[in-house]
Amino acid sequence: MKATELLKSTRSEEIALLDQLDLKRLPRHVAIIMDGNGRWAERRHLPRIAGHRAGVKVARETIETCARLKVPALTLYAFSLENWRRPRAEIDFLMRLLREYLKRELPSIHKNNIQLLVIGRSAQLPEAVRHDIEKAMRLTAQNTGMKLIVALNYGGRAELVDAFNAILDNVRLNGLSAFHADEETISNNLYTAGLPDPDLLIRTSGEMRVSNFLLWQIAYAELYITEALWPDFSREKLLEAFVNFQQRERRYGGLGVSDGRRNGRHGGAR
Ligand code: FPP
């Protein structure tokens, strides 16, 4: 099926972008740092929470677009370990918003065969939030479509600490005195074990930082930073990111197809 049909898009800007997309070369895992809700609200003289409400709408649309295009995995950075430094009222609002979102959207997530996963130190989340995410993960556990991963109370360094401790526990428990860890051991003990590493990391609001997000997993990810604030990150802007991703040449430290040396131009053949 063509991308325009998958998205049932009628907007000419979107159609033009969809026509450029190769559905077979979409990122296998898209990770997004959703940034700029507060600034979006401030610019409109609204309270910060209005920016978060607008951000949820965009998250919903982004999830739908990725699922329709059959992106295998999408990770959204919803709440970091550092976000506890925000005012209590804002934290409580974000937690409420997440529960509201789950309550409203879970039936449609499930109907669309999406599997919901939550990564982060969930034991430190409020009881009610934990209850709702466990219920959502249980309900969608057998779904075979897109994996929607919500990073909640997440920190990349904390994830590595948790992985190392899990490895050490296993070594002690099984008395593996000659054990040597390798990259696979570490990957398999991260919260994201079994998922492909992100090939595309999107960050909104123009900040040039990775903010402790998926530190191990983004080793080879293409970075796409847009000035758009998260509540303005429309479907068209997401498609622009995908088109841009497909125009990049990914070399993983080797030589690219357009590199002259590969064609013998610098290799002494001529
Ligand atoms: C950044 O804006 C956003 C967050 C702290 C995360 C909250 C995300 C949402 C409400 C989107 C909803 C997601 C799901 C999965 C339902 P900011 O407050 O850091 O903005 P600022 O940098 O402009 O202050």
Side-chain angles (χ1 to χ4, degrees), residues 33-42 48-49 51-60 63 76-80 83 86 90 93-94 97-99 101-102 116 148-152 203-205 207 209 229-231:
I33 302 176
M34 307 178 289
D35 195 13
N37 293 349
R39 275 162 284 168
W40 183 91
E42 277 156 26
R48 290 177 56 82
I49 57 173
H52 294 316
R53 268 211 187 284
V56 172
K57 273 199 203 152
V58 173
R60 192 195 172 286
I63 295 163
L76 299 177
Y77 203 178
F79 193 85
S80 72
N83 284 154
R86 295 189 178 205
E90 185 172 340
F93 183 81
L94 283 169
L97 206 54
L98 183 85
R99 294 189 67 206
Y101 169 82
L102 283 179
L116 184 99
L148 168 62
I149 304 113
V150 180
L152 204 58
R203 180 170 191 146
T204 57
S205 93
E207 308 288 352
R209 288 191 289 274
L229 303 175
W230 177 249

